[in-house]
Amino acid sequence: MPLGADDDSPTVVEPRKLVLPKLPSRSRGDDFEDVPTNPGRPPFARPGTSPKLPDLNGETTSPGSPAFTGVAPEVRQNRWHERSAAPRGVLPAEAVLKSLDEALQKAARSKEPMKATREQLKADWLPLLRQVVEQMGGDGLDAYVTQLLSPPGRKAMTPLVDDLSAGMERLNTAPDTPSLLTVARELQAVVARALGEPAPRAISLDLQERELDGRVDVDMLLSIRFASNAELSERRSQAGKTLEDLRQQMRALSGMQPGGLFSGFARVKVEKRVMDAEARRRGGS
């Protein structure tokens, strides 16, 4: 038929039926697969099973954040444990000794008053001594916690923490810069011997985590133990003021969840408890 020959006839358009594909029926007993709506979180588990969490071996639950390269000894290998501190890398012995020596040489060249030189040396050394304690402190911190909370406590089988603490006490009472440097070199030798141990005992944090609710990390515990009497007194006073400020802020949030304020209050409260116990251990009040 020529094109246009039936132009006078009306065109009737039939409506099309939308046909959806038939989904397979599934009974209540079928084993549905849970698909997470957030790819960065583990799927929900069925009742009676445990959700799969990533191991602490560098895997991360957030696809956009970098993975840790290792887990420091202070992080407990328990996937259900709320860690008191983020995983940190471990410095090799050579780096620790080199950094200790550099800080000591800086103190020897310092033209500041002896008190300022001592404070700077302690600030430079604290993270390095923490590394040494974490790597080979054995039961030193656990024994220290027993001395604080159940005096007289027990003696550590690994004496490293006690040896470092005794050296820091002499450092805090050194009357002049030459004496300060002499004590510092003796402490440096203690660290060198510990790092040279053929079979070092890794730090135990069992009592620190359990008795102190995991709220006081290794840095804080060592800084309290290594503090001079004057430093400890000042820090106790500051912690008391901080607690009172936080109490006032939480009271102002009447009817509201304090959230982070309460967490900060709990942390400072435990820290002050440790400082008060350390003051009593030294014979104070």
Side-chain angles (χ1 to χ4, degrees):
M1 178 183 296
L3 186 64
D6 61 342
D7 287 347
D8 294 335
S9 303
T11 302
V12 179
V13 179
E14 295 289 338
R16 297 182 61 186
K17 294 182 179 180
L18 182 62
V19 180
L20 297 176
K22 186 177 180 181
L23 296 176
S25 61
R26 305 182 73 169
S27 67
R28 294 178 65 87
D30 288 335
D31 188 14
F32 284 93
E33 179 183 359
D34 293 313
V35 179
T37 56
N38 185 342
R41 302 186 64 179
F44 292 104
R46 304 183 190 89
T49 63
S50 299
K52 182 181 183 300
L53 295 182
D55 292 319
L56 298 177
N57 56 4
E59 182 180 355
T60 173
T61 57
S62 176
S65 64
F68 292 112
T69 56
V71 177
E74 73 168 16
V75 181
R76 291 179 57 176
Q77 304 293 320
N78 185 339
R79 63 180 61 186
W80 294 107
H81 183 69
E82 183 180 354
R83 292 170 294 183
S84 62
R88 303 187 272 206
V90 176
L91 285 177
E94 296 78 8
V96 172
L97 293 174
K98 180 181 178 182
S99 298
L100 285 173
D101 190 62
E102 289 175 350
L104 182 56
Q105 295 303 321
K106 183 174 72 172
R109 295 190 303 267
S110 176
K111 303 300 182 183
E112 298 291 328
M114 195 271 289
K115 180 180 177 181
T117 300
R118 174 165 46 210
E119 290 175 352
Q120 184 60 56
L121 179 62
K122 289 175 64 176
D124 291 340
W125 270 20
L126 179 60
L128 300 169
L129 297 180
R130 185 264 299 169
Q131 282 276 342
V132 178
V133 169
E134 284 182 352
Q135 294 183 40
M136 52 201 61
D139 63 333
L141 286 185
D142 280 351
Y144 176 50
V145 171
T146 68
Q147 296 165 16
L148 292 177
L149 305 183
S150 304
R154 63 177 176 82
K155 186 176 179 62
M157 292 183 291
T158 303
L160 176 61
V161 173
D162 288 340
D163 291 345
L164 293 177
S165 300
M168 293 301 291
E169 289 174 5
R170 296 197 305 275
L171 195 76
N172 288 328
T173 57
D176 49 45
T177 300
S179 301
L180 177 77
L181 298 177
T182 299
V183 174
R185 292 188 184 97
E186 293 172 356
L187 261 174
Q188 192 178 20
V190 170
V191 172
R193 286 196 300 271
L195 291 174
E197 286 288 337
R201 297 186 60 189
I203 190 70
S204 167
L205 301 177
D206 185 61
L207 290 182
Q208 178 187 334
E209 295 285 342
R210 187 172 72 239
E211 301 297 332
L212 304 179
D213 300 327
R215 297 185 185 274
V216 182
D217 61 14
V218 174
D219 282 352
M220 178 59 66
L221 206 57
L222 291 180
S223 68
I224 291 172
R225 182 64 183 89
F226 295 163
S228 66
N229 290 337
E231 291 168 342
L232 184 62
S233 177
E234 182 180 354
R235 292 179 63 171
R236 291 174 68 195
S237 176
Q238 184 60 46
K241 294 177 182 178
T242 301
L243 287 175
E244 186 56 34
D245 290 344
L246 291 173
R247 284 192 187 98
Q248 295 296 334
Q249 294 179 49
M250 288 189 291
R251 290 191 188 109
L253 297 174
S254 56
M256 298 176 61
Q257 292 292 333
L261 282 178
F262 183 79
S263 177
F265 178 85
R267 177 182 55 80
V268 177
K269 187 175 181 179
V270 176
E271 290 177 3
K272 187 171 186 304
R273 178 190 175 201
V274 172
M275 288 187 279
D276 290 345
E278 171 61 16
R280 289 192 298 270
R281 191 192 67 82
R282 299 184 186 188
S285 58

